[in-house]
Amino acid sequence: MLTREGSLVVEAINRAQSLFPWLLRGVDFDNDSAFMNDVVVPWCREQKLEVTRSRAYKKNDQAFVEQKNGAVVRRLMGYGRFDGVETARVMGRLYAAARLYVNFFQPSFKLKEKRREGAKVIKRYHPPSTPYERALAHPKVTAAVKKRLRDQYRSLDPVALLAEIRATQNELGNRVDRRAGQARGLQSAHTSNAPVTAATFAKTLGKRVTAGEPRATHRRTRRPYKTRVRMPSKLDPHIAAIEGWLAEQPQLTALTIVGRLSETHPEEFGARQHSIVQRLLRALRQKTAEQLVAERPLADASTAAPSPGVVDGSGYVGPDPPTAPFVEQAGKATWRGRSVDLASVPSG
């Protein structure tokens, strides 16, 4: 639609009804003023269409609105801003080809059941199938409609549809670039490379998939506002000395290093530089650890030290513990050279 107007929404619903293989029973809206107005809602009630909407100030409350916005619409159209009648015609060509390609050749999953077991949610899905296959399998779709769908399916070429989709995407991408170029005084960044025939386009599909072809309507990469430059640090002239100290005494702390630096350069280093020395010390130790791991290969499993035994002591290989006899006297007992009061020992 060129503008947000209720009468255009009614025409769009009539157009959609002519494309559907079954009658509409309801329409799901969000709270946009283009849908919830004095034109669209009364017309839907006259056509016996059930109207559902989102709750007020709850834009994500309508479960059936925009559920394919990311998977279909944004993947096709991108995030560029389009305007003009000619652009609307190109968008119409893109949606006409995408409608047939998605509904007849693109399978998708549908949720079969969902249950909760404690904190875990288990979901089961039907086997993936296209909307066309689901329509043929539905028992309430008439035989005449199924025959019409089969005839339409036989007349379609998925490669030709995909070529039309990519050609219109390139044209829309060029329009977005020209619009931005006019605003900044720059030339168009992309040129149209629409394939001449479906066969020519099919030969390039494998290469484009391997190279990760970015579509013309995808969001453009933004140039960074400025390049981040590492600012010089007052520790840079002393890094070699600090590394030498750590090589001799790896257990040195940042506070000790600050103290040594303050002895030789009292005008530059003090207690305030403790944090930057800590960061440098952490980076140097991480670098040293990575070098040690890279230089020292893992030992062979046969030469590795034996793992300790289980908790019951079966892996203990040291001397046996002393087993001095337990000598009992009147009211007392001696064990391992110590006197134990039997009255204080609990029974059992």
Side-chain angles (χ1 to χ4, degrees), residues 15-293:
R15 171 64 177 166
Q17 176 63 88
S18 65
L19 299 175
F20 288 146
W22 43 74
L23 295 177
L24 289 176
R25 298 181 59 185
V27 186
D28 303 314
F29 295 138
D30 54 17
N31 294 335
D32 197 315
S33 59
F35 307 111
M36 305 304 298
N37 51 52
D38 295 337
V39 177
V40 179
V41 176
W43 179 85
C44 291
R45 290 173 178 170
E46 291 176 1
Q47 302 295 323
K48 307 299 181 181
L49 296 178
E50 180 184 1
V51 177
T52 63
R53 60 181 288 267
S54 304
R55 291 183 296 170
Y57 308 107
K58 303 289 184 180
K59 56 190 259 186
N60 295 328
D61 186 58
Q62 179 54 272
F64 302 105
V65 173
E66 298 180 358
Q67 62 174 336
K68 293 294 184 180
N69 192 21
V72 177
V73 179
R74 288 303 178 189
R75 288 179 64 88
L76 290 172
M77 306 300 301
Y79 293 84
R81 185 176 180 85
F82 306 111
D83 56 1
V85 179
E86 292 299 326
T87 304
R89 291 195 180 98
V90 178
M91 294 174 65
R93 287 172 48 202
L94 174 57
Y95 278 128
R99 178 183 69 86
L100 299 175
Y101 182 79
V102 172
N103 289 328
F104 283 91
F105 300 103
Q106 193 140 27
S108 60
F109 284 95
K110 290 294 182 181
L111 186 64
K112 182 178 181 180
E113 61 175 353
K114 180 174 66 173
R115 70 178 187 275
R116 177 182 292 273
E117 293 183 1
K120 185 178 180 181
V121 178
I122 299 177
K123 297 181 180 180
R124 305 294 182 187
Y125 295 87
H126 292 283
S129 59
T130 61
Y132 161 71
E133 294 171 345
R134 292 193 182 96
L136 295 183
H138 201 283
K140 293 188 178 181
V141 178
T142 62
V145 173
K146 292 181 180 180
K147 182 180 181 302
R148 180 162 55 91
L149 290 177
R150 290 190 184 96
D151 295 339
Q152 187 177 9
Y153 175 75
R154 296 188 188 98
S155 64
L156 297 177
D157 183 0
V159 177
L161 292 175
L162 188 58
E164 175 69 10
I165 291 174
R166 295 300 175 86
T168 51
Q169 283 178 333
N170 287 333
E171 187 170 350
L172 289 176
N174 292 334
R175 289 178 179 273
V176 172
D177 288 345
R178 285 197 297 269
R179 185 174 182 270
Q182 291 172 1
R184 299 192 303 264
L186 301 175
Q187 298 295 328
S188 175
H190 296 270
T191 58
S192 177
N193 55 353
V196 180
T197 61
T200 306
F201 174 77
K203 293 180 180 179
T204 62
L205 278 179
K207 299 178 182 178
R208 294 185 178 186
V209 172
T210 305
E213 172 209 12
R215 299 179 186 175
T217 54
H218 278 191
R219 183 178 293 174
R220 300 291 185 269
T221 56
R222 297 182 179 178
R223 296 181 58 187
Y225 175 69
K226 60 181 179 180
T227 305
R228 296 185 62 89
V229 180
R230 179 183 178 275
M231 300 300 294
S233 173
K234 61 174 61 179
L235 289 175
D236 292 342
H238 309 283
I239 291 180
I242 295 174
E243 290 179 346
W245 296 341
L246 292 175
E248 296 177 358
Q249 295 176 303
Q251 72 278 5
L252 282 181
T253 62
L255 193 60
T256 305
I257 295 176
V258 171
R260 292 187 180 183
L261 292 174
S262 61
E263 292 176 358
T264 56
H265 303 82
E267 69 282 356
E268 295 183 10
F269 296 97
R272 293 185 177 182
Q273 282 70 41
H274 183 222
S275 59
I276 63 174
V277 176
Q278 278 184 326
R279 290 194 292 269
L280 175 64
L281 191 60
R282 187 183 305 113
L284 292 177
R285 285 175 172 167
Q286 182 179 0
K287 178 181 177 182
T288 304
E290 292 175 354
Q291 291 177 353
L292 290 176
V293 171

